[in-house]
Amino acid sequence: MSADLPGILDAWRMVTARRGVEGRLPLSSLTRLQGSLLDTEGDVRFALEFDRDSLQVPYVELRIDAELPLECQRSMNRFLLPVHIVQRLGLIRDEADEAALPPGYEPLLVPDDGMLRTAELVEDELILAVPVVPVAPGTEEVEREWPASEAEQERANPFAALSAIKNKSN
């Protein structure tokens, strides 16, 4: 994180002041995300804007740009997945407040002390952006016929004996 960027922000003060912050984080500092990445080369650029909408709902809007190094599950090669996130999080004090959020808002339960960890917000969104099965754009699907070997074809069907018994009883 840049030296002048605070790691912890008071969410309610930021909303009242209608402030925002922006910065960079090295991928190597995002420990929960590291398990999904091939390596930790690169960084993440982000901006957080705090405000209230026309309904007076407090929110933080996240803008995240990154290139995540992943391993393509088709080619087993490294590729960079471009990630561009714009997400509006409605700030709530209690889980019951989630139902009152307008459409398009994701709930963010703010701790009792009102403090939010900047890096954790960014890391949470990046974790959600990683695909379950990473595939590099432009790679071809691997399609192949997998015929049964002769040994498999010659192996007796385990239900053949049951079928013979059934046929004898008829």
Side-chain angles (χ1 to χ4, degrees):
M1 201 165 354
S2 58
D4 56 340
L5 182 66
I8 299 176
L9 301 171
D10 185 331
W12 306 119
R13 283 187 181 193
M14 295 294 286
V15 167
T16 301
R18 299 175 66 183
R19 303 243 353 245
V21 296
E22 56 184 66
R24 290 180 178 268
L25 290 169
L27 288 175
S28 59
S29 70
L30 305 175
T31 56
R32 292 180 295 135
L33 179 65
Q34 286 179 7
S36 301
L37 303 178
L38 187 61
D39 57 60
T40 57
E41 293 178 22
D43 59 357
V44 179
R45 294 167 308 286
F46 68 91
L48 306 174
E49 296 292 329
F50 292 83
D51 203 351
R52 288 185 183 274
D53 65 8
S54 59
L55 300 172
Q56 296 303 306
V57 174
Y59 69 85
V60 58
E61 186 168 282
L62 280 81
R63 295 183 185 277
I64 301 171
D65 289 305
E67 289 187 331
L68 302 179
L70 301 174
E71 183 176 35
C72 175
Q73 295 303 299
R74 286 187 182 152
S75 66
M76 303 311 282
N77 293 323
R78 180 185 192 271
F79 77 101
L80 294 175
L81 176 72
V83 176
H84 306 287
I85 300 171
V86 177
Q87 180 70 49
R88 189 169 279 196
L89 303 174
L91 304 176
I92 58 175
R93 296 177 196 267
D94 188 70
E95 288 181 15
D97 297 337
E98 180 180 347
L101 289 175
Y105 282 61
E106 288 295 321
L108 177 62
L109 185 60
V110 179
D112 292 336
D113 63 1
M115 304 307 259
L116 296 176
R117 298 189 186 292
T118 309
E120 286 182 11
L121 283 176
V122 173
E123 187 172 20
D124 288 346
E125 291 301 318
L126 288 173
I127 288 170
L128 293 172
V130 174
V132 174
V133 179
V135 177
T139 57
E140 294 183 25
E141 289 185 39
V142 178
E143 292 186 21
R144 181 176 172 191
E145 289 291 323
W146 298 96
S149 67
E150 287 184 35
E152 288 175 319
Q153 289 178 353
E154 291 176 7
R155 193 177 321 154
N157 181 347
F159 297 104
L162 293 175
S163 177
I165 293 171
K166 182 179 176 187
N167 290 338
K168 284 183 184 178
S169 63
N170 288 337

